[in-house]
Amino acid sequence: DADVTQTPRNRITKTGKRIMLECSQTKGHDRMYWYRQDPGLGLRLIYYSFDVKDINKGEISDGYSVSRQAQAKFSLSLESAIPNQTALYFCATRAQVAGGPGEQFFGPGTRLTVL
Amino acid sequence: LAKTTQPISMDSYEGQEVNITCSHNNIATNDYITWYQQFPSQGPRFIIQGYKTKVTNEVASLFIPADRKSSTLSLPRVSLSDTAVYYCLVGAVWSRDDKIIFGKGTRLHILP
């Protein structure tokens, strides 16, 4: 079984709809992240969380909200989806380690299309 | 946050050694350098991480000069399956400002 899972894997929605993307991890890591990736571009950080009570904005948080329901679950919501939020969304986790930032583990991605 | 600069794309041939250089002129004292690989429609995958000098693992080597203002990822004897985007990231240890910034990466194309 995958360590970081994302649901749904694909989603088509309409402008103005509320949508939630979910991420679960079995790695026991404290830190979780949401990124979006547009074609030909790198990943941009939306939100990140150090633990259940500690959530922080990333580079592009406008139009998004998150919820850390448990150590293993981190959800991303689009309150009112718009077409320019069409992108590939990745969830990631990272453990706190000594001697370096450590490794991020990414989920398989959710492809979101907003019509 | 240290900004990184990488070539947009590179081509090489199977069996060759490929070196991808990343510039990070304003790297901070506590920053580490990390490289990720990404295949189309997949999440990035960790390749290697280092602080100074040279780090080697089973898939790559990372060379970091003494001034740490750049780093070079070396992929030995590449194959077609190494065609991917490679990202260089610079980030601090135990930083509460944990914004791990991905740039646009280097698109590596391996030719037969």
Side-chain angles (χ1 to χ4, degrees):
Chain A
D1 289 340
D3 294 321
V4 183
T5 57
Q6 294 183 231
T7 55
R9 295 293 313 278
N10 290 283
R11 179 72 182 267
I12 300 174
T13 191
K14 294 182 178 180
T15 298
K17 294 292 187 181
R18 183 180 188 276
I19 184 168
M20 179 181 288
L21 309 183
E22 298 185 335
C23 176
S24 295
Q25 55 117 345
T26 58
K27 300 194 73 66
H29 292 165
D30 291 325
R31 301 187 181 198
M32 297 188 73
Y33 306 78
W34 275 105
Y35 294 89
R36 69 174 277 176
Q37 186 171 36
D38 296 282
L41 300 180
L43 281 73
R44 291 184 291 169
L45 183 63
I46 306 172
Y47 272 95
Y48 61 103
S49 171
F50 291 116
D51 59 41
V52 175
K53 297 181 180 181
D54 192 344
I55 294 176
N56 304 274
K57 293 183 178 181
E59 303 171 78
I60 53 164
S61 57
D62 288 347
Y64 301 95
S65 62
V66 291
S67 173
R68 185 82 183 267
Q69 301 95 324
Q71 186 201 38
K73 297 185 181 295
F74 193 34
S75 300
L76 176 71
S77 293
L78 287 67
E79 297 301 325
S80 180
I82 56 178
N84 76 0
Q85 291 178 312
T86 293
L88 186 55
Y89 290 83
F90 289 104
C91 174
T93 73
R94 185 162 71 90
Q96 285 186 312
V97 297
E103 176 181 352
Q104 276 189 300
F105 296 85
F106 285 81
T110 294
R111 186 169 299 280
L112 175 66
T113 302
V114 183
L115 301 175
Chain B
L1 298 170
K3 180 180 178 180
T4 60
T5 302
Q6 305 174 232
I8 294 174
S9 65
M10 294 178 63
D11 289 339
S12 188
Y13 292 92
E14 277 192 297
Q16 299 293 307
E17 178 184 77
V18 172
N19 295 311
I20 306 174
T21 297
C22 178
S23 297
H24 29 79
N25 290 320
N26 60 340
I27 188 170
T29 302
N30 292 331
D31 286 347
Y32 276 67
I33 300 151
T34 311
W35 285 81
Y36 285 83
Q37 176 192 56
Q38 185 182 27
F39 297 114
S41 298
Q42 295 185 23
R45 185 176 67 176
F46 175 91
I47 302 174
I48 198 166
Q49 184 175 90
Y51 182 79
K52 62 180 180 181
T53 63
K54 177 183 176 181
V55 180
T56 297
N57 62 22
E58 63 276 9
V59 298
S61 295
L62 178 60
F63 298 92
I64 305 170
D67 66 5
R68 303 198 330 121
K69 294 184 182 296
S70 67
S71 59
T72 299
L73 174 72
S74 181
L75 305 172
R77 299 179 297 282
V78 294
S79 65
L80 295 177
S81 63
D82 291 314
T83 293
V85 178
Y86 292 81
Y87 296 97
C88 166
L89 287 74
V90 175
V93 178
W94 297 108
S95 171
R96 293 298 297 177
D97 188 19
D98 190 4
K99 297 178 182 178
I100 301 177
I101 304 299
F102 282 76
K104 296 183 179 180
T106 297
R107 192 169 299 274
L108 177 64
H109 186 204
I110 304 301
L111 303 167

